Amino acid sequence: MAVASGTAALHAAYAAIGLSPGQTLVTTPLTFSATATTALHLGARVRFADVCEDTLNLDPSAAAAAIDASVSAITAVDYAGHPADIPAIQAIAEQCGAVVVEDAAHAIGGSLEGVPVGAMASLTTFSFHPVKTVTSGEGGAVVCGDARFEPALRRFRDHGMVRAVEHQRHPEEGSWHQEVHALGLNYRMPDILAALGTSQLRRLGAFVARRRALVARYHDLLAGIPGLRLPAQRPGADPAWHLFAVRVLDGRRREVHERLRAQNIGTQVHYWPVHRQPLFEDLGYRAGICPVAESAYDQLLSLPLFPAMTDADQDRVAGAVREILQ
Ligand SMILES: *Cc1c(COP(=O)(O)O)cnc(C)c1O
């Protein structure tokens, strides 16, 4: 189901699950804030569980330690495009009757053990924001692995409205009649953006292939640089790389970021752990609750990665990184 943004996709997924006051979402702090804040919009609580040291995806054992009877959703994020271990998260979710959501904003086109991202979790969300692998200008989508969520998803996108006569409570009103059955929003994707998104989607294979080739080249160009740790890839995972997030050791991340910027090479940090955001700080969350994510944050730096990047662009970036660290 196409929606207006990746944030709308998450909000609709959580609404379809029925996340509400008294219930808890368990998720990773190493994500864009919307993964968590959309649960707050529904009045639910958020409990952050730590990430795996290698992939920086939600750690199934940390998620297992975070569940209790109040947990009705667990959201894993495919950090940088590396698919999260959804089968392991699913096994944990079954222990408390929670629904697994995969925030795949980074991972469209990826797969795990041959299963495409979107075909694993009960609900998978995508973003088509301009920085993402496929864009519709702004936009998003929810994929239902579990069809029981579909009616609620479609209603939430469209004001909670029911137009099908057979599902109306008062169909005798007349053929003009439409009913609001639940709280919803206008989260529809505009047709014009859908047309752009549909044409961009045809290029998904080429975009993912170019990103993979650039990542393979980065691994060659940056191998053996002291104080630099390159992203891990687990056996069985076929990531669709959205980010090339390296770790700069020895406290030199800020220096590398600033010296690259001085050479007109833009880098970013993904992410300041969400529980550190003032919104969550004001709700009582404190540093120290997810030590793996927090220490990864201190080192993370996303180097430029985009399909139109040329080999020469990349040689310049890698050469600059090598010169700073060697
Ligand atoms: C981009 C992103 C979102 C939000 O998507 P929008 O389309 O910008 O609303 C949510 N989660 C993650 C992990 C993202 O990267």
Side-chain angles (χ1 to χ4, degrees), residues 4-10 30-35 77-79 103-106 125-132 138-140 242 270-271:
S5 67
T7 303
L10 287 158
L30 216 57
T31 182
F32 183 66
S33 56
T35 313
V77 175
D78 304 313
Y79 180 82
D103 178 347
H106 296 185
T125 63
F126 295 99
S127 165
F128 307 128
H129 180 274
V131 303
K132 304 293 159 66
E138 288 273 6
H242 165 55
H270 300 91
Y271 292 93

Side-chain angles (χ1 to χ4, degrees), residues 139-210:
V142 188
V143 173
C144 288
D146 183 337
R148 81 187 141 115
F149 296 115
E150 192 182 336
L153 277 175
R154 293 199 179 280
R155 264 195 339 219
F156 192 73
R157 175 178 68 170
D158 194 21
H159 310 284
M161 201 91 85
V162 172
R163 293 196 169 84
V165 175
E166 65 273 25
H167 294 129
Q168 290 184 349
R169 194 174 300 173
H170 304 286
E172 68 284 357
E173 287 299 320
S175 56
W176 59 82
H177 187 58
Q178 42 193 23
E179 295 183 344
V180 174
H181 281 209
L183 273 180
L185 287 157
N186 175 358
Y187 271 170
R188 297 183 303 268
M189 176 186 276
D191 291 352
I192 295 165
L193 300 190
L196 173 60
T198 304
S199 77
Q200 289 295 299
L201 209 47
R202 290 191 199 104
R203 300 171 64 188
L204 173 64
F207 288 148
V208 170
R210 180 60 186 153

